PDB file of all heavy atoms in Angstrom:
ATOM      1  N   ALA A   1      95.716-101.787 -25.439  1.00 98.00           N
ATOM      2  CA  ALA A   1      94.781-101.273 -24.440  1.00 98.00           C
ATOM      3  C   ALA A   1      95.670-100.132 -23.568  1.00 98.00           C
ATOM      4  O   ALA A   1      96.794-100.319 -23.277  1.00 98.00           O
ATOM      5  CB  ALA A   1      94.232-102.302 -23.432  1.00 98.00           C
ATOM      6  N   VAL A   2      94.959 -99.094 -23.277  1.00 98.00           N
ATOM      7  CA  VAL A   2      95.389 -98.216 -22.211  1.00 98.00           C
ATOM      8  C   VAL A   2      94.214 -98.278 -21.120  1.00 98.00           C
ATOM      9  O   VAL A   2      93.017 -98.407 -21.475  1.00 98.00           O
ATOM     10  CB  VAL A   2      95.525 -96.761 -22.743  1.00 98.00           C
ATOM     11  CG1 VAL A   2      95.495 -95.839 -21.620  1.00 98.00           C
ATOM     12  CG2 VAL A   2      96.694 -96.676 -23.655  1.00 98.00           C
ATOM     13  N   VAL A   3      94.598 -98.303 -19.824  1.00 98.00           N
ATOM     14  CA  VAL A   3      93.724 -98.282 -18.720  1.00 98.00           C
ATOM     15  C   VAL A   3      93.705 -96.987 -17.979  1.00 98.00           C
ATOM     16  O   VAL A   3      94.921 -96.575 -17.590  1.00 98.00           O
ATOM     17  CB  VAL A   3      94.045 -99.504 -17.742  1.00 98.00           C
ATOM     18  CG1 VAL A   3      92.989 -99.467 -16.561  1.00 98.00           C
ATOM     19  CG2 VAL A   3      93.916-100.859 -18.564  1.00 98.00           C
ATOM     20  N   CYS A   4      92.590 -96.473 -17.729  1.00 98.00           N
ATOM     21  CA  CYS A   4      92.397 -95.322 -16.951  1.00 98.00           C
ATOM     22  C   CYS A   4      91.507 -95.528 -15.823  1.00 98.00           C
ATOM     23  O   CYS A   4      90.566 -96.128 -15.798  1.00 98.00           O
ATOM     24  CB  CYS A   4      91.786 -94.150 -17.891  1.00 98.00           C
ATOM     25  SG  CYS A   4      92.725 -93.651 -19.315  1.00 98.00           S
ATOM     26  N   GLY A   5      91.995 -94.803 -14.631  1.00 98.00           N
ATOM     27  CA  GLY A   5      91.194 -94.900 -13.482  1.00 98.00           C
ATOM     28  C   GLY A   5      90.242 -93.864 -13.311  1.00 98.00           C
ATOM     29  O   GLY A   5      90.272 -92.830 -13.891  1.00 98.00           O
ATOM     30  N   ALA A   6      89.189 -94.070 -12.442  1.00 97.00           N
ATOM     31  CA  ALA A   6      88.106 -93.063 -12.182  1.00 97.00           C
ATOM     32  C   ALA A   6      88.169 -92.844 -10.686  1.00 97.00           C
ATOM     33  O   ALA A   6      88.107 -93.675  -9.791  1.00 97.00           O
ATOM     34  CB  ALA A   6      86.758 -93.610 -12.549  1.00 97.00           C
ATOM     35  N   PHE A   7      88.388 -91.580 -10.300  1.00 97.00           N
ATOM     36  CA  PHE A   7      88.682 -91.166  -8.936  1.00 97.00           C
ATOM     37  C   PHE A   7      87.636 -90.178  -8.408  1.00 97.00           C
ATOM     38  O   PHE A   7      87.568 -88.908  -8.687  1.00 97.00           O
ATOM     39  CB  PHE A   7      89.968 -90.510  -8.857  1.00 97.00           C
ATOM     40  CG  PHE A   7      91.098 -91.504  -9.229  1.00 97.00           C
ATOM     41  CD1 PHE A   7      91.558 -91.564 -10.439  1.00 97.00           C
ATOM     42  CD2 PHE A   7      91.666 -92.374  -8.239  1.00 97.00           C
ATOM     43  CE1 PHE A   7      92.533 -92.502 -10.842  1.00 97.00           C
ATOM     44  CE2 PHE A   7      92.569 -93.290  -8.644  1.00 97.00           C
ATOM     45  CZ  PHE A   7      92.980 -93.462  -9.980  1.00 97.00           C
ATOM     46  N   GLY A   8      86.687 -90.649  -7.677  1.00 95.00           N
ATOM     47  CA  GLY A   8      85.657 -90.010  -6.987  1.00 95.00           C
ATOM     48  C   GLY A   8      85.920 -89.789  -5.542  1.00 95.00           C
ATOM     49  O   GLY A   8      87.041 -90.105  -4.932  1.00 95.00           O
ATOM     50  N   PRO A   9      84.886 -89.321  -4.747  1.00 96.00           N
ATOM     51  CA  PRO A   9      85.143 -89.015  -3.237  1.00 96.00           C
ATOM     52  C   PRO A   9      85.660 -90.156  -2.451  1.00 96.00           C
ATOM     53  O   PRO A   9      86.306 -89.875  -1.417  1.00 96.00           O
ATOM     54  CB  PRO A   9      83.719 -88.534  -2.863  1.00 96.00           C
ATOM     55  CG  PRO A   9      83.067 -88.042  -4.057  1.00 96.00           C
ATOM     56  CD  PRO A   9      83.554 -88.953  -5.266  1.00 96.00           C
ATOM     57  N   THR A  10      85.348 -91.350  -2.845  1.00 97.00           N
ATOM     58  CA  THR A  10      85.701 -92.549  -2.020  1.00 97.00           C
ATOM     59  C   THR A  10      87.223 -93.055  -2.342  1.00 97.00           C
ATOM     60  O   THR A  10      87.694 -93.946  -1.751  1.00 97.00           O
ATOM     61  CB  THR A  10      84.765 -93.773  -2.145  1.00 97.00           C
ATOM     62  OG1 THR A  10      84.783 -94.111  -3.448  1.00 97.00           O
ATOM     63  CG2 THR A  10      83.392 -93.302  -1.632  1.00 97.00           C
ATOM     64  N   ARG A  11      87.762 -92.415  -3.511  1.00 98.00           N
ATOM     65  CA  ARG A  11      89.141 -92.720  -3.896  1.00 98.00           C
ATOM     66  C   ARG A  11      89.958 -91.529  -4.089  1.00 98.00           C
ATOM     67  O   ARG A  11      90.360 -91.011  -4.973  1.00 98.00           O
ATOM     68  CB  ARG A  11      88.958 -93.384  -5.239  1.00 98.00           C
ATOM     69  CG  ARG A  11      88.235 -94.655  -5.317  1.00 98.00           C
ATOM     70  CD  ARG A  11      87.902 -94.998  -6.782  1.00 98.00           C
ATOM     71  NE  ARG A  11      87.050 -96.272  -6.852  1.00 98.00           N
ATOM     72  CZ  ARG A  11      86.424 -96.656  -7.954  1.00 98.00           C
ATOM     73  NH1 ARG A  11      86.655 -95.914  -9.170  1.00 98.00           N
ATOM     74  NH2 ARG A  11      85.752 -97.891  -7.991  1.00 98.00           N
ATOM     75  N   ASP A  12      90.261 -90.857  -2.880  1.00 98.00           N
ATOM     76  CA  ASP A  12      90.754 -89.588  -2.688  1.00 98.00           C
ATOM     77  C   ASP A  12      91.966 -89.697  -1.872  1.00 98.00           C
ATOM     78  O   ASP A  12      91.991 -89.876  -0.604  1.00 98.00           O
ATOM     79  CB  ASP A  12      89.861 -88.586  -2.048  1.00 98.00           C
ATOM     80  CG  ASP A  12      90.280 -87.203  -2.003  1.00 98.00           C
ATOM     81  OD1 ASP A  12      91.504 -86.974  -2.403  1.00 98.00           O
ATOM     82  OD2 ASP A  12      89.506 -86.320  -1.567  1.00 98.00           O
ATOM     83  N   LEU A  13      93.261 -89.614  -2.428  1.00 98.00           N
ATOM     84  CA  LEU A  13      94.404 -89.673  -1.641  1.00 98.00           C
ATOM     85  C   LEU A  13      94.841 -88.458  -0.906  1.00 98.00           C
ATOM     86  O   LEU A  13      95.823 -88.409  -0.202  1.00 98.00           O
ATOM     87  CB  LEU A  13      95.667 -90.055  -2.725  1.00 98.00           C
ATOM     88  CG  LEU A  13      95.537 -91.437  -3.285  1.00 98.00           C
ATOM     89  CD1 LEU A  13      96.793 -91.678  -4.270  1.00 98.00           C
ATOM     90  CD2 LEU A  13      95.485 -92.506  -2.195  1.00 98.00           C
ATOM     91  N   THR A  14      93.987 -87.412  -0.979  1.00 97.00           N
ATOM     92  CA  THR A  14      94.286 -86.267  -0.087  1.00 97.00           C
ATOM     93  C   THR A  14      93.070 -85.971   0.911  1.00 97.00           C
ATOM     94  O   THR A  14      92.985 -84.951   1.422  1.00 97.00           O
ATOM     95  CB  THR A  14      94.507 -84.932  -0.957  1.00 97.00           C
ATOM     96  OG1 THR A  14      93.306 -84.769  -1.866  1.00 97.00           O
ATOM     97  CG2 THR A  14      95.734 -85.112  -1.799  1.00 97.00           C
ATOM     98  N   HIS A  15      92.285 -87.047   1.134  1.00 97.00           N
ATOM     99  CA  HIS A  15      91.208 -86.952   1.993  1.00 97.00           C
ATOM    100  C   HIS A  15      91.729 -86.891   3.422  1.00 97.00           C
ATOM    101  O   HIS A  15      92.890 -87.362   3.673  1.00 97.00           O
ATOM    102  CB  HIS A  15      90.319 -88.284   1.808  1.00 97.00           C
ATOM    103  CG  HIS A  15      88.908 -88.058   2.475  1.00 97.00           C
ATOM    104  ND1 HIS A  15      88.669 -88.143   3.841  1.00 97.00           N
ATOM    105  CD2 HIS A  15      87.743 -87.813   1.893  1.00 97.00           C
ATOM    106  CE1 HIS A  15      87.423 -88.051   3.990  1.00 97.00           C
ATOM    107  NE2 HIS A  15      86.747 -87.782   2.901  1.00 97.00           N
ATOM    108  N   THR A  16      90.890 -86.241   4.257  1.00 95.00           N
ATOM    109  CA  THR A  16      91.353 -86.262   5.646  1.00 95.00           C
ATOM    110  C   THR A  16      91.353 -87.615   6.449  1.00 95.00           C
ATOM    111  O   THR A  16      91.911 -87.685   7.494  1.00 95.00           O
ATOM    112  CB  THR A  16      90.601 -85.204   6.411  1.00 95.00           C
ATOM    113  OG1 THR A  16      89.125 -85.623   6.342  1.00 95.00           O
ATOM    114  CG2 THR A  16      90.738 -83.794   5.897  1.00 95.00           C
ATOM    115  N   ASP A  17      90.598 -88.492   5.830  1.00 97.00           N
ATOM    116  CA  ASP A  17      90.432 -89.882   6.547  1.00 97.00           C
ATOM    117  C   ASP A  17      91.355 -90.874   5.849  1.00 97.00           C
ATOM    118  O   ASP A  17      91.141 -91.159   4.661  1.00 97.00           O
ATOM    119  CB  ASP A  17      88.980 -90.332   6.399  1.00 97.00           C
ATOM    120  CG  ASP A  17      88.644 -91.643   7.159  1.00 97.00           C
ATOM    121  OD1 ASP A  17      89.671 -92.255   7.656  1.00 97.00           O
ATOM    122  OD2 ASP A  17      87.431 -92.094   7.108  1.00 97.00           O
ATOM    123  N   PRO A  18      92.311 -91.434   6.567  1.00 97.00           N
ATOM    124  CA  PRO A  18      93.177 -92.399   6.098  1.00 97.00           C
ATOM    125  C   PRO A  18      92.556 -93.647   5.492  1.00 97.00           C
ATOM    126  O   PRO A  18      93.054 -94.348   4.684  1.00 97.00           O
ATOM    127  CB  PRO A  18      94.110 -92.739   7.133  1.00 97.00           C
ATOM    128  CG  PRO A  18      94.083 -91.637   8.106  1.00 97.00           C
ATOM    129  CD  PRO A  18      92.683 -91.102   8.015  1.00 97.00           C
ATOM    130  N   ALA A  19      91.367 -93.976   6.078  1.00 98.00           N
ATOM    131  CA  ALA A  19      90.538 -95.051   5.529  1.00 98.00           C
ATOM    132  C   ALA A  19      90.174 -94.897   4.025  1.00 98.00           C
ATOM    133  O   ALA A  19      90.134 -95.821   3.253  1.00 98.00           O
ATOM    134  CB  ALA A  19      89.307 -95.269   6.340  1.00 98.00           C
ATOM    135  N   VAL A  20      89.944 -93.576   3.577  1.00 98.00           N
ATOM    136  CA  VAL A  20      89.718 -93.319   2.240  1.00 98.00           C
ATOM    137  C   VAL A  20      90.849 -93.589   1.344  1.00 98.00           C
ATOM    138  O   VAL A  20      90.764 -94.022   0.275  1.00 98.00           O
ATOM    139  CB  VAL A  20      89.203 -91.917   2.012  1.00 98.00           C
ATOM    140  CG1 VAL A  20      88.995 -91.573   0.525  1.00 98.00           C
ATOM    141  CG2 VAL A  20      87.864 -91.720   2.841  1.00 98.00           C
ATOM    142  N   HIS A  21      92.033 -93.230   1.951  1.00 98.00           N
ATOM    143  CA  HIS A  21      93.361 -93.559   1.232  1.00 98.00           C
ATOM    144  C   HIS A  21      93.504 -95.076   0.982  1.00 98.00           C
ATOM    145  O   HIS A  21      93.866 -95.392  -0.079  1.00 98.00           O
ATOM    146  CB  HIS A  21      94.556 -93.036   2.003  1.00 98.00           C
ATOM    147  CG  HIS A  21      94.526 -91.694   2.380  1.00 98.00           C
ATOM    148  ND1 HIS A  21      95.433 -91.040   3.302  1.00 98.00           N
ATOM    149  CD2 HIS A  21      93.741 -90.694   2.053  1.00 98.00           C
ATOM    150  CE1 HIS A  21      95.083 -89.889   3.572  1.00 98.00           C
ATOM    151  NE2 HIS A  21      94.071 -89.479   2.681  1.00 98.00           N
ATOM    152  N   GLU A  22      93.261 -95.801   2.019  1.00 98.00           N
ATOM    153  CA  GLU A  22      93.350 -97.248   1.812  1.00 98.00           C
ATOM    154  C   GLU A  22      92.415 -97.866   0.782  1.00 98.00           C
ATOM    155  O   GLU A  22      92.711 -98.700   0.058  1.00 98.00           O
ATOM    156  CB  GLU A  22      93.149 -97.897   3.203  1.00 98.00           C
ATOM    157  CG  GLU A  22      94.142 -97.603   4.273  1.00 98.00           C
ATOM    158  CD  GLU A  22      95.602 -98.064   3.825  1.00 98.00           C
ATOM    159  OE1 GLU A  22      95.716 -98.961   3.147  1.00 98.00           O
ATOM    160  OE2 GLU A  22      96.516 -97.338   4.126  1.00 98.00           O
ATOM    161  N   ASN A  23      91.206 -97.188   0.814  1.00 98.00           N
ATOM    162  CA  ASN A  23      90.248 -97.691  -0.236  1.00 98.00           C
ATOM    163  C   ASN A  23      90.715 -97.374  -1.639  1.00 98.00           C
ATOM    164  O   ASN A  23      90.604 -98.194  -2.552  1.00 98.00           O
ATOM    165  CB  ASN A  23      89.020 -96.966  -0.101  1.00 98.00           C
ATOM    166  CG  ASN A  23      87.820 -97.498  -0.977  1.00 98.00           C
ATOM    167  OD1 ASN A  23      87.438 -98.730  -0.893  1.00 98.00           O
ATOM    168  ND2 ASN A  23      87.357 -96.587  -1.791  1.00 98.00           N
ATOM    169  N   CYS A  24      91.400 -96.320  -1.827  1.00 98.00           N
ATOM    170  CA  CYS A  24      91.950 -95.733  -2.987  1.00 98.00           C
ATOM    171  C   CYS A  24      93.185 -96.638  -3.401  1.00 98.00           C
ATOM    172  O   CYS A  24      93.292 -97.071  -4.587  1.00 98.00           O
ATOM    173  CB  CYS A  24      92.348 -94.446  -3.054  1.00 98.00           C
ATOM    174  SG  CYS A  24      92.783 -93.672  -4.657  1.00 98.00           S
ATOM    175  N   PHE A  25      93.948 -96.995  -2.421  1.00 98.00           N
ATOM    176  CA  PHE A  25      95.059 -97.888  -2.716  1.00 98.00           C
ATOM    177  C   PHE A  25      94.644 -99.286  -3.179  1.00 98.00           C
ATOM    178  O   PHE A  25      95.186 -99.865  -4.201  1.00 98.00           O
ATOM    179  CB  PHE A  25      95.874 -98.178  -1.507  1.00 98.00           C
ATOM    180  CG  PHE A  25      96.751 -96.911  -0.974  1.00 98.00           C
ATOM    181  CD1 PHE A  25      96.824 -96.583   0.296  1.00 98.00           C
ATOM    182  CD2 PHE A  25      97.434 -96.113  -1.907  1.00 98.00           C
ATOM    183  CE1 PHE A  25      97.613 -95.431   0.660  1.00 98.00           C
ATOM    184  CE2 PHE A  25      98.198 -95.035  -1.518  1.00 98.00           C
ATOM    185  CZ  PHE A  25      98.246 -94.698  -0.210  1.00 98.00           C
ATOM    186  N   ALA A  26      93.570 -99.791  -2.597  1.00 98.00           N
ATOM    187  CA  ALA A  26      93.050-101.134  -3.014  1.00 98.00           C
ATOM    188  C   ALA A  26      92.467-100.880  -4.450  1.00 98.00           C
ATOM    189  O   ALA A  26      92.675-101.930  -5.198  1.00 98.00           O
ATOM    190  CB  ALA A  26      91.936-101.556  -2.025  1.00 98.00           C
ATOM    191  N   TYR A  27      91.793 -99.937  -4.661  1.00 98.00           N
ATOM    192  CA  TYR A  27      91.311 -99.649  -6.058  1.00 98.00           C
ATOM    193  C   TYR A  27      92.352 -99.613  -7.113  1.00 98.00           C
ATOM    194  O   TYR A  27      92.269-100.324  -8.168  1.00 98.00           O
ATOM    195  CB  TYR A  27      90.410 -98.469  -6.181  1.00 98.00           C
ATOM    196  CG  TYR A  27      90.117 -97.946  -7.639  1.00 98.00           C
ATOM    197  CD1 TYR A  27      89.164 -98.680  -8.393  1.00 98.00           C
ATOM    198  CD2 TYR A  27      90.759 -96.765  -8.037  1.00 98.00           C
ATOM    199  CE1 TYR A  27      88.979 -98.231  -9.562  1.00 98.00           C
ATOM    200  CE2 TYR A  27      90.453 -96.379  -9.331  1.00 98.00           C
ATOM    201  CZ  TYR A  27      89.501 -97.148 -10.208  1.00 98.00           C
ATOM    202  OH  TYR A  27      89.292 -96.680 -11.432  1.00 98.00           O
ATOM    203  N   ILE A  28      93.418 -98.866  -6.802  1.00 98.00           N
ATOM    204  CA  ILE A  28      94.483 -98.681  -7.792  1.00 98.00           C
ATOM    205  C   ILE A  28      95.192-100.077  -7.988  1.00 98.00           C
ATOM    206  O   ILE A  28      95.681-100.479  -9.039  1.00 98.00           O
ATOM    207  CB  ILE A  28      95.531 -97.633  -7.295  1.00 98.00           C
ATOM    208  CG1 ILE A  28      94.916 -96.307  -7.295  1.00 98.00           C
ATOM    209  CG2 ILE A  28      96.840 -97.666  -8.054  1.00 98.00           C
ATOM    210  CD1 ILE A  28      95.574 -95.129  -6.702  1.00 98.00           C
ATOM    211  N   ARG A  29      95.318-100.814  -6.871  1.00 98.00           N
ATOM    212  CA  ARG A  29      95.893-102.135  -7.025  1.00 98.00           C
ATOM    213  C   ARG A  29      95.113-103.036  -7.979  1.00 98.00           C
ATOM    214  O   ARG A  29      95.661-103.774  -8.847  1.00 98.00           O
ATOM    215  CB  ARG A  29      96.162-102.843  -5.588  1.00 98.00           C
ATOM    216  CG  ARG A  29      97.021-104.030  -5.636  1.00 98.00           C
ATOM    217  CD  ARG A  29      97.355-104.520  -4.269  1.00 98.00           C
ATOM    218  NE  ARG A  29      97.866-103.408  -3.488  1.00 98.00           N
ATOM    219  CZ  ARG A  29      97.332-102.735  -2.414  1.00 98.00           C
ATOM    220  NH1 ARG A  29      96.159-103.068  -2.032  1.00 98.00           N
ATOM    221  NH2 ARG A  29      97.970-101.752  -1.799  1.00 98.00           N
ATOM    222  N   ALA A  30      93.839-102.985  -7.800  1.00 98.00           N
ATOM    223  CA  ALA A  30      92.897-103.742  -8.796  1.00 98.00           C
ATOM    224  C   ALA A  30      93.130-103.371 -10.146  1.00 98.00           C
ATOM    225  O   ALA A  30      93.112-104.100 -11.118  1.00 98.00           O
ATOM    226  CB  ALA A  30      91.450-103.627  -8.390  1.00 98.00           C
ATOM    227  N   CYS A  31      93.360-101.972 -10.335  1.00 98.00           N
ATOM    228  CA  CYS A  31      93.559-101.402 -11.884  1.00 98.00           C
ATOM    229  C   CYS A  31      94.902-101.979 -12.246  1.00 98.00           C
ATOM    230  O   CYS A  31      95.147-102.242 -13.364  1.00 98.00           O
ATOM    231  CB  CYS A  31      93.575 -99.906 -11.649  1.00 98.00           C
ATOM    232  SG  CYS A  31      91.909 -99.222 -11.439  1.00 98.00           S
ATOM    233  N   PHE A  32      95.923-102.001 -11.358  1.00 99.00           N
ATOM    234  CA  PHE A  32      97.291-102.549 -11.786  1.00 99.00           C
ATOM    235  C   PHE A  32      97.055-103.932 -12.267  1.00 99.00           C
ATOM    236  O   PHE A  32      97.785-104.359 -13.332  1.00 99.00           O
ATOM    237  CB  PHE A  32      98.267-102.485 -10.552  1.00 99.00           C
ATOM    238  CG  PHE A  32      98.719-101.138 -10.318  1.00 99.00           C
ATOM    239  CD1 PHE A  32      99.313-100.798  -9.033  1.00 99.00           C
ATOM    240  CD2 PHE A  32      98.641-100.091 -11.153  1.00 99.00           C
ATOM    241  CE1 PHE A  32      99.722 -99.633  -8.653  1.00 99.00           C
ATOM    242  CE2 PHE A  32      99.177 -98.773 -10.925  1.00 99.00           C
ATOM    243  CZ  PHE A  32      99.726 -98.472  -9.725  1.00 99.00           C
ATOM    244  N   GLU A  33      96.317-104.652 -11.541  1.00 98.00           N
ATOM    245  CA  GLU A  33      96.120-106.184 -11.904  1.00 98.00           C
ATOM    246  C   GLU A  33      95.377-106.154 -13.199  1.00 98.00           C
ATOM    247  O   GLU A  33      95.782-107.124 -14.164  1.00 98.00           O
ATOM    248  CB  GLU A  33      95.358-106.880 -10.844  1.00 98.00           C
ATOM    249  CG  GLU A  33      96.174-107.106  -9.613  1.00 98.00           C
ATOM    250  CD  GLU A  33      95.266-107.505  -8.423  1.00 98.00           C
ATOM    251  OE1 GLU A  33      94.056-107.707  -8.523  1.00 98.00           O
ATOM    252  OE2 GLU A  33      95.778-107.693  -7.292  1.00 98.00           O
ATOM    253  N   LEU A  34      94.422-105.276 -13.631  1.00 98.00           N
ATOM    254  CA  LEU A  34      93.809-105.374 -14.881  1.00 98.00           C
ATOM    255  C   LEU A  34      94.822-104.969 -15.903  1.00 98.00           C
ATOM    256  O   LEU A  34      94.887-105.521 -17.053  1.00 98.00           O
ATOM    257  CB  LEU A  34      92.625-104.248 -14.783  1.00 98.00           C
ATOM    258  CG  LEU A  34      91.923-104.083 -16.247  1.00 98.00           C
ATOM    259  CD1 LEU A  34      91.362-105.403 -16.617  1.00 98.00           C
ATOM    260  CD2 LEU A  34      90.816-103.007 -16.090  1.00 98.00           C
ATOM    261  N   CYS A  35      95.708-103.955 -15.635  1.00 98.00           N
ATOM    262  CA  CYS A  35      96.684-103.487 -16.535  1.00 98.00           C
ATOM    263  C   CYS A  35      97.509-104.751 -16.913  1.00 98.00           C
ATOM    264  O   CYS A  35      97.881-104.937 -18.130  1.00 98.00           O
ATOM    265  CB  CYS A  35      97.678-102.443 -15.994  1.00 98.00           C
ATOM    266  SG  CYS A  35      96.867-100.833 -15.881  1.00 98.00           S
ATOM    267  N   ASN A  36      98.058-105.448 -15.926  1.00 98.00           N
ATOM    268  CA  ASN A  36      98.949-106.707 -16.211  1.00 98.00           C
ATOM    269  C   ASN A  36      98.144-107.643 -17.108  1.00 98.00           C
ATOM    270  O   ASN A  36      98.666-108.221 -17.984  1.00 98.00           O
ATOM    271  CB  ASN A  36      99.219-107.339 -14.960  1.00 98.00           C
ATOM    272  CG  ASN A  36     100.368-106.461 -14.208  1.00 98.00           C
ATOM    273  OD1 ASN A  36     100.526-106.602 -13.003  1.00 98.00           O
ATOM    274  ND2 ASN A  36     101.117-105.769 -14.918  1.00 98.00           N
ATOM    275  N   ALA A  37      96.789-107.815 -16.790  1.00 98.00           N
ATOM    276  CA  ALA A  37      95.976-108.829 -17.615  1.00 98.00           C
ATOM    277  C   ALA A  37      95.784-108.400 -19.086  1.00 98.00           C
ATOM    278  O   ALA A  37      95.848-109.306 -19.910  1.00 98.00           O
ATOM    279  CB  ALA A  37      94.694-108.996 -16.932  1.00 98.00           C
ATOM    280  N   VAL A  38      95.537-107.106 -19.351  1.00 98.00           N
ATOM    281  CA  VAL A  38      95.367-106.734 -20.698  1.00 98.00           C
ATOM    282  C   VAL A  38      96.563-106.222 -21.396  1.00 98.00           C
ATOM    283  O   VAL A  38      96.544-105.723 -22.588  1.00 98.00           O
ATOM    284  CB  VAL A  38      94.306-105.741 -20.700  1.00 98.00           C
ATOM    285  CG1 VAL A  38      93.020-106.210 -20.122  1.00 98.00           C
ATOM    286  CG2 VAL A  38      94.651-104.334 -20.104  1.00 98.00           C
ATOM    287  N   GLY A  39      97.708-106.197 -20.783  1.00 98.00           N
ATOM    288  CA  GLY A  39      99.038-105.757 -21.483  1.00 98.00           C
ATOM    289  C   GLY A  39      99.285-104.399 -21.505  1.00 98.00           C
ATOM    290  O   GLY A  39     100.016-103.841 -22.223  1.00 98.00           O
ATOM    291  N   ALA A  40      98.483-103.569 -20.651  1.00 98.00           N
ATOM    292  CA  ALA A  40      98.861-102.088 -20.537  1.00 98.00           C
ATOM    293  C   ALA A  40     100.028-101.946 -19.774  1.00 98.00           C
ATOM    294  O   ALA A  40     100.439-102.723 -18.814  1.00 98.00           O
ATOM    295  CB  ALA A  40      97.604-101.409 -19.953  1.00 98.00           C
TER     296      ALA A  40
END
């Protein structure tokens, strides 16, 4: 497996609102956990 993320307006690390960054960090962390689970 290869795991790819999907990055829309609520997952934007260059957004003016730091809360959006935190949402993106949480999403990426969940993707990392999926990578670990499937061997990516």
Side-chain angles (χ1 to χ4, degrees):
V2 167
V3 177
C4 295
F7 297 90
T10 64
R11 300 168 182 167
D12 181 358
L13 292 180
T14 58
H15 199 280
T16 55
D17 185 355
V20 176
H21 306 169
E22 293 303 322
N23 185 66
C24 190
F25 290 136
Y27 165 72
I28 291 172
R29 192 170 304 112
C31 289
F32 287 159
E33 291 167 0
L34 176 62
C35 287
N36 287 156
V38 301

